Amino acid sequence: MHRPGVTIIPINGHAPRIHDTAFIAPGCIIVGNVTIGAMSSVWYNCVLRADVSRIEIGERTNIQDGSVLHCDPERPGDADGSPLIIGDDVLVGHMCMLHGCRIEDRGFIGLGAIAMNKAVIASDSMLAAGAMLTEGKVMAPRELWGGRPARKMRDLDGMAVAGMKMGAAHYVENAKAHALAVAGAPGPHPDDGRTQG
């Protein structure tokens, strides 16, 4: 499938596997052992680099603009390494850094947040904007964590969880509009790059 403006790079015997219904915005770089599920979206200028382990993204999940995703390889005493595993219906805000962590279904990562190796954001939980979830920290379901380093702030009520679900659904629909806009965008002008005399 042709994806205008997207750089897709196989490495170390692995090529990205992207579902035909997933939207990958121009400016993204997808490298190596990356799997992206149905109706998920990766927004403008994200980098997903799975050169030393794997990155798995489920269905209807969105990775918003400028985010960076990576993983770590196996090491002595750590045969699994730190793959980056993201479930279904997850929202990842703009300019997040996710490294070798796990985000369970319907997790929410706020703007500019960081989650490190083997950290876990549980189902229906929220990591607040700007927070840093340090290595190995595990959030329970329906919790809000914030700060640097992140700590539990409170439990989330039903309204907050419903709002996160609505956000995920919005991104599925918005991605369809952007896919159409990208497909209809004009290509480079014939004069682009021509030396002006």
Side-chain angles (χ1 to χ4, degrees):
M1 179 179 183
H2 179 58
R3 298 183 182 275
V6 177
T7 302
I8 296 176
I9 303 173
I11 193 170
N12 298 330
H14 295 285
R17 298 173 304 283
I18 303 170
H19 196 277
D20 285 347
T21 62
F23 170 64
I24 313 297
C28 289
I29 302 173
I30 316 289
V31 181
N33 192 5
V34 178
T35 303
I36 301 173
M39 295 184 286
S40 285
S41 55
V42 182
W43 293 79
Y44 302 90
N45 298 322
C46 290
V47 176
L48 283 63
R49 178 163 61 93
D51 50 348
V52 294
S53 183
R54 70 189 191 279
I55 296 172
E56 298 178 4
I57 297 172
E59 299 182 353
R60 300 174 305 279
T61 284
N62 61 83
I63 310 297
Q64 295 172 27
D65 315 64
S67 292
V68 176
L69 282 60
H70 194 227
C71 45
D72 262 351
E74 61 186 57
R75 293 189 170 94
D78 182 11
D80 293 332
S82 295
L84 174 56
I85 309 298
I86 302 175
D88 299 335
D89 302 296
V90 170
L91 292 100
V92 175
H94 311 296
M95 299 189 71
C96 290
M97 287 187 282
L98 304 178
H99 201 287
C101 59
R102 187 171 83 245
I103 307 172
E104 297 179 349
D105 295 348
R106 302 178 308 282
F108 183 105
I109 313 299
L111 304 175
I114 298 170
M116 300 173 71
N117 285 355
K118 300 186 186 302
V120 178
I121 296 91
S123 298
D124 300 311
S125 282
M126 179 186 296
L127 183 62
M132 181 172 67
L133 191 63
T134 53
E135 186 165 353
K137 291 291 185 180
V138 178
M139 297 170 59
R142 296 177 71 114
E143 290 184 346
L144 170 65
W145 285 43
R148 290 194 176 210
R151 293 180 172 84
K152 181 180 176 180
M153 300 173 70
R154 59 180 171 85
D155 292 323
L156 293 175
D157 59 22
M159 185 176 296
V161 172
M164 292 189 295
K165 291 179 182 177
M166 288 176 60
H170 161 75
Y171 266 91
V172 170
E173 293 305 312
N174 200 25
K176 294 175 185 177
H178 278 258
L180 289 172
V182 167
H189 190 277
D191 290 340
D192 285 355
R194 186 178 67 185
T195 302
Q196 299 296 315

